[in-house]
Amino acid sequence: MTKDVIALTPKMPDINTLLAGLFAGGPDLGVNSLAEGAVVQLCAPNGRPLVSVEAPQFIQVPGEAQRLLGAEVTTPDGPYWWTEARASTAVEEGERLAGSFAGRLAAVLGGTVWPPEAAHTDVVALTSDDVTANPAPATASPAVDVLTDKAAVVIQDRPVVAMTSWLADALRAATADDRALQIVTPAHTRLTLPTRTALQGHPNRWVVQDPDCGYYDGLSGAELRWQDGHFTPVKTAEGTARLAEAFKPAPGASDPSGERQLLLSFQTTHPADEQLQLGGALEAAWRALTGTPPAGWSTAEPIALPWSPRQLTELARARAQKNAPTWLTTVGTPNRPAIATTRITHTSAGIEEHITLALGYATDENPPVDAIATLAETLATTHGLTSMLTTLRTARRDLTVPPRFEMPPVPLSFTLGAEAVHEIGLTRAKHPPVGLRPSRLGPTARPALHYTLGDGTDPTSWTTLQQLTQHLKAMPGSAGPPR
């Protein structure tokens, strides 16, 4: 497995310190830069990349190292610099070179290295024959370990695979080249919500290597094999995908921990106005459900920047001028697990925010289900809510995704914004054929409607939601649940 090694230092690594780290393999190795200097590579004499180093990130959000690397990780007091080195799988010495690079940064600047056993400051002599005998491979994203016509394969060995800038670049490149992004991990690895979101679309995959059953898809459970340049499902005699034993839930383990997740998926639409400030709907939801605003935001993980609706609006406006959407991740404080992804687009309807917010609760914590209706009214009357679906599920409090079967979410409520109600027609929208009696939110003349679907324990609520959606979509131009 590829080893990523991270230096967590209280001081910013300057160019001299970075060079001192990069000379861990001696002065005969070369140094190249990619992505306009955002990535620096230590290369063998033949040009083969040995270690790729991402530009240091200034982490100003508490708890990020522990969220992504494990609770036992120690960091400098206050904000710190995160410098990540990725070792090549093609060269045996790559991992030790990455460890020496990170160890030298920590020795000069203070701080720590993750994983701690990787840190050292030795000069690493290159002995692999292919370092000098074989030509350098074709240029690709530094995150990609195997590149074929069908797939870009990334090998990761860390407790949590986050949607880092490395992976985001690899995903963009794979999509542009009509390849699948396939991330290979050991069985102990989990995913963050942003990474799961990125991988759940075909043909991308999370490939889990299990010692007992080989490879399987960590999201669907399908057994996999390497064939024709990519991982593909193993078929049964009937032609269906075979489910891996490691993915199946243990007998009687439908609710092994009692931990739960409250999930909100909602969309807002705003007029494209110069005075518009985005992020207000997400902050309102965060405050209503946790009592505090979000802690930080960023375009990739780890989350580096303190929460700032003004700054994220400036970023979205700059990207809109290039006809590009904006994709963001937001996190909360360590004591209340919460994470959100936001996709901001400029459409004919205006500026749209597509938000998924997840909050985690322990066995002895009660999700604030009673606050949903009040929040729905706030979003509908103040933040341009188009629609919102709220669900509850049995899953990990820390909001990470394990490579095993998890119970699907169960609907709690659905809210239809005032504009969508107007398009459908108030009379039709407030009289669905399934016995629901929605609550009116906002002005009497132009209300939003809030439908209570259940208490989050009865899976038949999905049938109720489906019937409601079909009723609402029966009229041309009507809106259903957020996609």
Side-chain angles (χ1 to χ4, degrees):
M1 288 288 185
T2 295
K3 283 289 188 180
D4 299 333
V5 185
I6 302 166
L8 307 169
T9 61
K11 299 178 181 178
M12 178 181 178
D14 57 22
I15 188 62
N16 290 331
T17 307
L18 288 172
L19 287 174
L22 288 168
F23 282 132
D28 294 334
L29 300 185
V31 177
N32 295 332
S33 64
L34 302 173
E36 298 180 351
V39 176
V40 177
Q41 289 185 325
L42 179 65
C43 301
N46 66 348
R48 180 184 293 275
L50 304 174
V51 176
S52 298
V53 180
E54 190 178 24
Q57 301 178 71
F58 189 46
I59 307 299
Q60 304 174 65
V61 179
E64 276 301 275
Q66 290 74 21
R67 181 175 74 90
L68 300 179
L69 303 178
E72 71 284 355
V73 173
T74 58
T75 59
D77 295 332
Y80 56 90
W81 292 88
W82 175 303
T83 308
E84 187 157 341
R86 180 172 173 79
S88 169
T89 54
V91 179
E92 182 180 347
E93 292 84 5
E95 183 180 335
R96 280 188 50 76
L97 282 167
S100 182
F101 167 82
R104 290 172 178 225
L105 260 60
V108 174
L109 303 172
T112 59
V113 172
W114 179 91
E117 65 272 14
H120 65 96
T121 58
D122 300 339
V123 173
V124 180
L126 301 183
T127 59
S128 300
D129 293 338
D130 61 343
V131 171
T132 56
N134 295 336
T139 301
S141 167
V144 174
D145 295 286
V146 178
L147 189 65
T148 73
D149 291 339
K150 293 185 178 180
V153 180
V154 177
I155 303 173
Q156 293 271 270
D157 185 5
R158 51 203 299 174
V160 176
V161 176
M163 185 45 62
T164 62
S165 57
W166 298 101
L167 279 183
D169 288 343
L171 177 60
R172 281 191 290 268
T175 301
D177 295 337
D178 197 26
R179 290 185 173 99
L181 177 66
Q182 300 189 329
I183 301 177
V184 181
T185 75
H188 64 77
T189 295
R190 292 167 279 120
L191 305 183
T192 64
L193 174 63
T195 307
R196 175 182 180 160
T197 301
L199 291 181
Q200 65 187 7
H202 181 79
N204 302 323
R205 287 192 186 279
W206 176 19
V207 182
V208 179
Q209 187 174 13
D210 183 81
D212 296 323
C213 64
Y215 297 98
Y216 69 94
D217 189 305
L219 298 181
S220 71
E223 287 190 17
L224 302 173
R225 63 179 175 181
W226 181 259
Q227 184 178 22
D228 298 330
H230 67 144
F231 285 97
T232 186
V234 176
K235 301 293 186 179
T236 65
E238 293 75 24
T240 60
R242 191 163 63 200
L243 192 66
E245 289 295 326
F247 184 81
K248 297 177 182 178
S254 59
D255 186 8
S257 67
E259 296 180 352
R260 289 176 290 176
Q261 295 176 4
L262 181 63
L263 308 171
L264 289 78
S265 179
F266 58 102
Q267 176 185 332
T268 66
T269 305
H270 313 276
D273 186 277
E274 289 186 0
Q275 304 304 314
L276 173 65
Q277 181 165 281
L278 300 169
L282 179 57
E283 181 171 333
W286 219 287
R287 288 183 180 275
L289 300 175
T290 72
T292 63
W297 73 284
S298 193
T299 56
E301 298 176 283
I303 306 304
L305 302 171
W307 175 246
S308 173
R310 177 186 59 81
Q311 290 182 346
L312 71 85
T313 300
E314 291 174 353
L315 173 65
R317 183 172 289 118
R319 291 187 61 80
Q321 292 172 354
K322 301 177 181 178
N323 296 318
T326 299
W327 190 87
L328 308 171
T329 298
T330 308
V331 295
T333 56
N335 63 326
R336 167 49 59 218
I339 188 168
T341 60
T342 303
R343 188 173 187 268
I344 302 170
T345 58
H346 190 174
T347 71
S348 58
I351 306 300
E352 297 182 0
E353 296 174 288
H354 298 260
I355 301 167
T356 299
L357 169 61
L359 304 102
Y361 301 90
T363 305
D364 58 351
E365 296 176 316
N366 293 318
V369 174
D370 294 342
I372 297 298
T374 302
L375 169 61
E377 184 163 22
T378 299
L379 296 176
T381 58
T382 309
H383 298 285
L385 180 70
T386 300
S387 60
M388 178 170 71
L389 176 64
T390 305
T391 61
L392 191 66
R393 68 186 304 221
T394 298
R396 295 176 62 101
R397 180 180 186 268
D398 65 12
L399 304 175
T400 60
V401 182
R404 292 180 298 279
F405 173 81
E406 291 186 305
M407 296 297 293
V410 177
L412 287 167
S413 64
F414 176 65
T415 308
L416 199 61
E419 183 62 28
V421 171
H422 177 74
E423 291 180 4
I424 294 169
L426 178 59
T427 300
R428 183 177 186 83
K430 72 178 183 179
H431 292 105
V434 291
L436 296 176
R437 291 295 177 263
S439 303
R440 293 191 179 207
L441 308 176
T444 303
R446 199 178 177 91
L449 295 177
H450 180 71
Y451 305 83
T452 299
L453 303 173
D455 61 1
T457 63
D458 185 0
T460 62
S461 297
W462 280 116
T463 301
T464 303
L465 176 63
Q466 183 181 29
Q467 293 172 344
L468 172 63
T469 300
Q470 290 173 345
H471 174 76
L472 296 176
K473 285 186 175 180
M475 296 295 289
S478 60
R483 295 184 299 273

